[in-house]
Each structure stands twice: as C-alpha cells, then as structure tokens.
Amino acid sequence: MFSTCVKTLRITSKFGSLIRYESTLVIAEHNNEKLLPITCNTLTAAKKIGGDVTVLVAGTKCETVAQNACKAKGVSKVFLADSDAFKGFTAESLTPLILKLYNEHKFTHILAGASAFGKALLPRVAAKLDVSPISDIIGIKSSDTFVRTIYAGNAIQTLKSKDTLKVVSVRSTSFEPLPLEGGDAKCENVSAGDISNLVEYIRQELSKSDRPELTSAKVVISGGRGMKSGENFKLLYTLADKLNAAVGASRAAVDAGFVSNDLQVGQTGKIVAPNLYIAVGISGAIQHLAGMKDSKTIVAINKDPEAPIFQVADYGLVADLFKAVPELTEKL
C-alpha cells in the first residue's frame, strides 16, 4: 500500500513548485524464452522519463524472461504473470491484467514498443482508461512532452499530454537498447486476474529464415518494383548471404506479389534503421522512406537518375540492377 501512495504523491518543494513522482510500467514483448530487442529500446525511453521503472512480463512458462528483465540497470521491479491465459499474447487477455496493475499502483506512464504487439494492445488499454494514446514516439522532452513524426515522416510533432496517465508506444529505432546487465531488480509474481474468453488463441505460423530478423539486422537489402518479379529477388538473397543481411521490400514489390508482406519496409510495414541500407530498384516513395530514412548509411541502385531515393541516399549508383547486383556480389 505504501508504494501505491508514493507513486501518486504530490509534494511542495521549498521553492513552492509542485513535483510529481513519475512511475512507468513497461509491457515486455517476448517469446516466452527471451526478451525481444524492442523491449530493451523501450526501457531506454522509460529511463529517460525518470522515476521508477517497472516491467511486466506476462506469458506462459516465461520465468526466464522475467529473470533477464531483472538484470536491466534502472529497473526497480519486475512483475511476472505466468498463465496459460496469455498464450498468443492477445490484447484481450493482457488488457485486464494491465488495468488491474494500474489500479493497484497508479503508474504515471504505460509504455510498449510500437510493434504489431504494442499497436494492438495500447489503444485498447488507453480506451479502457479513457486517455488518449500517444503513438510511435521518437523523442522525449519531458515526462509529459513527446516527439513523433506525422505526415509519413515529413513533419515532426511535439506533443504535450494533459492526461494524468500517459499511454505511449515507442519507435525502437529512435532509442538505443538498454543492456540487460548491471541491475538487480526484484521479481514479484502477480495473479492473472479475471480474464474473460473474448478470443481463443489457436496457433501461430512463423516463417523461418537463417538470415537476421528484419527490424534488428545491421544490414538490410530491399528490392522494389524494379526487381520485376519474385524470381529476381534471388539476386538479393545471394547478396544478403554475403553480407549477413536481412532482405526487405517496398510496398510496390509486396503489392505486386513478388514477396510476402512480412518483408515490407515503410510506413505501413516495418521500421528499420540498420547501419547499412541498400535500396535496389526502389524509386523512393514517401511511404517507403518513412520506414528506412533513419538508417546510418543508405545506398541506392536505380537506373533512373531522377528517382527520389537518390535525395536521401548517401551513395547512389545509376545503373541496371540486373548488372550491378551480380557484379557487387561477385566482388564481395
């Protein structure tokens, strides 16, 4: 009870100003075996807000995940909710638990990564608590002021929230990952609570690949409409094997059926920020640029010298990709 009171305490300093004690609940994204990288980025954002940082690990047979979260420096406490009710990590099953914890501890912030998981969960939580969610932030100016992109990344918005509780999703590429070391947080088991069966988790089908995961790869090679067919993506796969890179695609390539939509990079796909991004046969539509323009180094290969992609590229090669890519692969 004492910790609950502290988190909502307002005190007056000797200067007469009001000070709010901040406390943040980070919803961990994991696979029941380890924390996903996006959670470590979100923890960095939580530390920047200040105050206590608590991590919620909810899943099935996920105690190892909770123990790893305890190692993160700056984390005050880890809540472990281990139950079969959380199979599939559905928003419908997790929301009642988050509401229960909020009512008990009165956190000032609830954070999750701006992934498919976070985008499904946080709006539901915000609606239940009657606050406005703050999505996909790229910066934090203070505990109530955040920075995010709008108009497909063409403008930067600074937003100040007047809600008592801030429900925020964090763009992982904008925050360095917090190492899982140097911390010694306590792990506390919490009850799953009363969860109604609004949905039933059936199964999950995941595509397997020996290549790095797209959102965490240090090198990404993406193909666009200029690849002409899905068969031609073999050129990129061969080059990716040489560079230990992930393979992505523009929306145009996905819509044309060249590759599956889990490879899509862009505003309506995945946001990436690798050390090296190679855009092959991609014109550079604004929706695609929104998903990759934070890459450290951008290389563009396109036969059209007027392609918009060259405006953001650090290195540009005006050439036929069907000649340039095999030559590049051969020289590596």
Side-chain angles (χ1 to χ4, degrees):
M1 178 62 74
F2 176 74
S3 62
T4 301
C5 296
V6 170
K7 288 187 172 76
T8 57
L9 182 65
R10 285 182 180 269
I11 60 175
T12 304
S13 72
K14 64 180 180 179
F15 301 105
S17 60
L18 287 174
I19 301 173
R20 177 75 184 274
Y21 190 86
E22 310 296 344
S23 58
T24 300
L25 176 67
V26 174
I27 314 301
E29 189 170 348
H30 60 93
N31 60 4
N32 288 320
E33 296 176 358
K34 61 182 180 180
L35 287 171
L36 298 187
I38 194 170
T39 301
C40 297
N41 302 103
T42 305
L43 285 172
T44 297
K47 285 188 66 178
K48 195 167 184 179
I49 290 172
D52 283 345
V53 176
T54 301
V55 179
L56 170 62
V57 176
T60 306
K61 298 179 181 178
C62 56
E63 185 176 354
T64 301
V65 180
Q67 295 301 327
N68 286 335
C70 289
K71 298 176 183 177
K73 190 174 183 180
V75 171
S76 304
K77 184 184 292 185
V78 175
F79 288 137
L80 171 61
D82 198 323
S83 170
D84 287 341
F86 302 123
K87 283 185 177 179
F89 310 107
T90 63
E92 291 81 0
S93 64
L94 290 169
T95 298
L97 172 62
I98 295 169
L99 298 181
K100 172 176 172 287
L101 292 174
Y102 171 75
N103 289 328
E104 290 174 355
H105 300 274
K106 299 300 180 184
F107 298 101
T108 59
H109 298 74
I110 296 177
L111 267 61
S115 60
F117 169 81
K119 291 175 181 178
L121 176 63
L122 292 190
R124 189 180 188 90
V125 171
K128 290 287 188 180
L129 294 172
D130 196 26
V131 299
S132 299
I134 304 167
S135 62
D136 206 17
I137 65 165
I138 61 172
I140 298 171
K141 289 186 174 292
S142 67
S143 61
D144 64 355
T145 307
F146 307 91
V147 181
R148 60 190 298 272
T149 61
I150 56 176
Y151 302 125
N154 273 326
I156 303 295
Q157 178 186 58
T158 299
L159 182 152
K160 184 172 184 177
S161 173
K162 294 184 178 180
D163 287 325
T164 304
L165 168 67
K166 284 77 174 173
V167 178
V168 184
S169 64
V170 178
R171 181 179 293 190
S172 62
T173 56
S174 298
F175 296 88
E176 292 295 323
L178 185 69
L180 298 177
E181 57 185 27
D184 188 24
K186 293 183 179 179
C187 183
E188 179 181 324
N189 289 297
V190 295
S191 170
D194 183 21
I195 299 175
S196 57
N197 295 321
L198 296 176
V199 298
E200 181 183 0
Y201 174 73
I202 304 298
R203 67 179 183 274
Q204 184 179 37
E205 296 181 5
L206 298 175
S207 57
K208 295 182 179 180
S209 174
D210 294 332
R211 298 186 182 87
E213 206 277 323
L214 187 56
T215 55
S216 60
K218 296 185 182 301
V219 180
V220 174
I221 304 170
S222 287
R225 194 196 307 272
M227 297 302 298
K228 295 185 178 179
S229 72
E231 184 72 17
N232 290 330
F233 263 77
K234 289 181 179 179
L235 294 173
L236 304 189
Y237 296 141
T238 303
L239 178 58
D241 290 340
K242 289 285 188 76
L243 296 173
N244 189 31
V247 174
S250 68
R251 178 171 180 172
V254 171
D255 287 349
F258 297 167
V259 292
S260 60
N261 60 7
D262 62 310
L263 298 186
Q264 183 175 325
V265 173
Q267 183 184 15
T268 54
K270 295 179 178 177
I271 307 294
V272 301
N275 293 333
L276 173 62
Y277 187 88
I278 303 176
V280 182
I282 294 176
S283 63
I286 187 172
Q287 291 85 357
H288 184 75
L289 299 183
M292 46 66 73
K293 66 180 182 180
D294 290 332
S295 303
K296 304 296 186 296
T297 302
I298 300 173
V299 175
I301 302 175
N302 199 299
K303 66 180 181 181
D304 179 9
E306 302 299 323
I309 190 70
F310 288 122
Q311 296 178 15
V312 299
D314 298 288
Y315 301 95
L317 176 61
V318 179
D320 183 347
L321 70 88
F322 296 106
K323 293 181 180 179
V325 174
E327 289 179 9
L328 177 60
T329 303
E330 185 180 348
K331 292 181 181 298
L332 288 174

